[in-house]
Amino acid sequence: MIESDLIERFRHGDTRALARAITLIERRDPGLRDLEDALRAGTSSPGVAGFTGAPGTGKSTLVDAVVSLLRKRESSVAVVATDPNSPFTGGAILGDRIRMQRHALDPKVFIRSMGARGHLGGLSLATREAIRLLGAFGFDEVLIETVGVGQSELEVAAVADTTVVVLTPNLGDRVQMIKAGILEIADIFVVNKADFEGYTRVMAELRAMLSLAPKTGWKPPILATIASRQEGVAELWDAVLAHRKHLEKSGKAEELAKRRLRDETAEVAAELARDRARRALDDDPELANRLFDGGTPYRTAEEILDRKR
């Protein structure tokens, strides 16, 4: 159950109410449906940019630099950092990013780490719902930082309007790109730590790979940044805005929004079905025994789903 005054505090801009609402999302609290229904009328759609790439590329530093830029431009911004989960507590291991704590006292900045909870891609279903709440709270921009763990990180493209793939010299990025199929999901490439030797080689390899990729209406730009010195960050954000305009002009923005709703609905249905199956097996010993004796999970699953609730 949600607190009786949570909706009112949320509407009045209480960040503690927002944090509490996201906690309810992570816990899959049934009362969250009442909260989302109550806030639906005031919900706006913030711009969503996802930052992904291998560990060690400086994603957190880059996201922190983007936050600083957006605040100088008087935009409110929320950061959702998806972390690996503790196998013991289920919570995010890394916690709120230390590098971003200089923004902790800024009321127009909200930073939240969310555990992946075993969800493919390191992005939980809760992340999608959190973005909706952040829009209802009034944030202009939402930045998503993924943990970056290989092929599973590609799922950020299904959530973000613009996907920024972050690379850096001397980390075997060429192999990483080919292995992960990163060319297929990147809207913008950023070679961070451009003060390191070898960054021009990485940019040249990217250009060569992009020349072999199928031609589309949007050609991903390749940018160099030194996030620790705020260099190249303004150009990066200009590229994000340019991609956003491209989506709106081409009609792809509406298409993406509809696809996300379909995908989220399918994920919610799968989650509800899993919960129903677990309850049925716990509450019906005969059903469980038939499963154990016959070893037929498909038939048992169909029986559970065909039951009238």
Side-chain angles (χ1 to χ4, degrees):
M1 290 293 293
I2 63 174
E3 297 89 339
S4 58
D5 64 339
L6 181 62
I7 295 174
E8 194 66 24
R9 290 191 291 118
F10 188 102
R11 285 175 171 161
H12 282 83
D14 184 348
T15 54
R16 289 175 296 182
L18 171 60
R20 174 60 179 162
I22 293 178
T23 298
L24 292 175
I25 286 175
E26 291 185 296
R27 293 179 179 175
R28 317 309 297 153
D29 192 300
L32 179 67
R33 298 176 191 175
D34 297 333
L35 175 64
E36 289 187 333
D37 287 343
L39 298 172
R40 184 179 301 167
T43 299
S44 61
S45 298
V48 183
F51 291 75
T52 189
T57 53
K59 294 189 299 293
S60 293
T61 304
L62 184 60
V63 169
D64 177 72
V66 172
V67 171
S68 296
L69 175 73
L70 291 174
R71 290 302 297 126
K72 287 179 182 178
R73 297 184 179 182
E74 298 186 351
S75 294
S76 58
V77 56
V79 178
V80 177
T82 58
D83 286 331
N85 285 82
S86 163
F88 303 105
T89 66
I93 294 174
L94 301 182
D96 287 345
R97 298 304 203 271
I98 295 173
R99 296 180 186 88
M100 300 181 197
Q101 290 313 298
R102 59 176 169 152
H103 305 291
L105 298 179
D106 188 338
K108 295 294 185 179
V109 177
F110 181 81
I111 301 169
R112 177 69 176 240
S113 286
M114 298 181 67
R117 300 184 186 276
H119 187 73
L120 179 62
L123 287 175
S124 65
L125 176 61
T127 305
R128 301 173 188 261
E129 296 171 331
I131 291 171
R132 191 175 297 113
L133 282 185
L134 291 166
F137 199 79
F139 283 102
D140 300 316
E141 303 287 349
V142 175
L143 308 180
I144 303 173
E145 181 197 343
T146 70
V147 67
V149 289
Q151 286 190 341
S152 62
E153 70 190 352
L154 305 185
E155 200 183 50
V156 68
V159 178
D161 303 318
T162 301
T163 302
V164 180
V165 173
V166 185
L167 304 106
T168 195
N170 306 321
L171 276 184
D173 290 318
R174 189 171 190 274
V175 175
Q176 175 78 14
M177 284 185 289
I178 296 171
K179 175 185 174 184
I182 225 87
L183 291 175
E184 298 176 7
I185 61 104
D187 298 309
I188 299 169
F189 286 102
V190 172
V191 181
N192 192 30
K193 303 182 183 180
D195 50 340
F196 284 22
E197 182 181 356
Y199 86 92
T200 55
R201 175 186 54 78
V202 176
M203 296 182 75
E205 289 178 348
L206 276 170
R207 291 190 190 97
M209 289 183 182
L210 285 176
S211 69
L212 302 175
K215 305 300 180 185
T216 62
W218 172 259
K219 183 178 179 180
I222 303 169
L223 306 172
T225 62
I226 305 175
S228 59
R229 301 206 298 251
Q230 205 76 26
E231 295 181 16
V233 178
E235 291 79 3
L236 164 59
W237 194 251
D238 288 345
V240 171
L241 296 179
H243 180 255
R244 197 173 291 172
K245 287 182 180 178
H246 163 74
L247 291 178
E248 293 171 355
K249 186 176 180 180
S250 64
K252 289 184 178 179
E254 183 178 359
E255 179 185 328
L256 285 172
K258 291 178 178 178
R259 186 191 306 166
R260 288 191 193 109
L261 278 176
R262 289 192 185 100
D263 291 344
E264 186 175 354
T265 301
E267 289 188 40
V268 171
E271 184 176 86
L272 293 174
R274 279 195 299 270
D275 289 342
R276 192 200 298 186
R278 292 188 180 107
R279 286 197 304 271
L281 291 168
D282 289 340
D283 298 341
D284 188 341
E286 292 185 6
L287 175 68
N289 287 334
R290 287 200 299 275
L291 169 64
F292 300 148
D293 292 340
T296 54
Y298 275 95
R299 294 192 181 205
T300 305
E302 288 172 350
E303 181 181 342
I304 293 170
L305 293 177
D306 287 342
R307 288 180 173 183
K308 293 183 179 180
R309 298 192 66 180

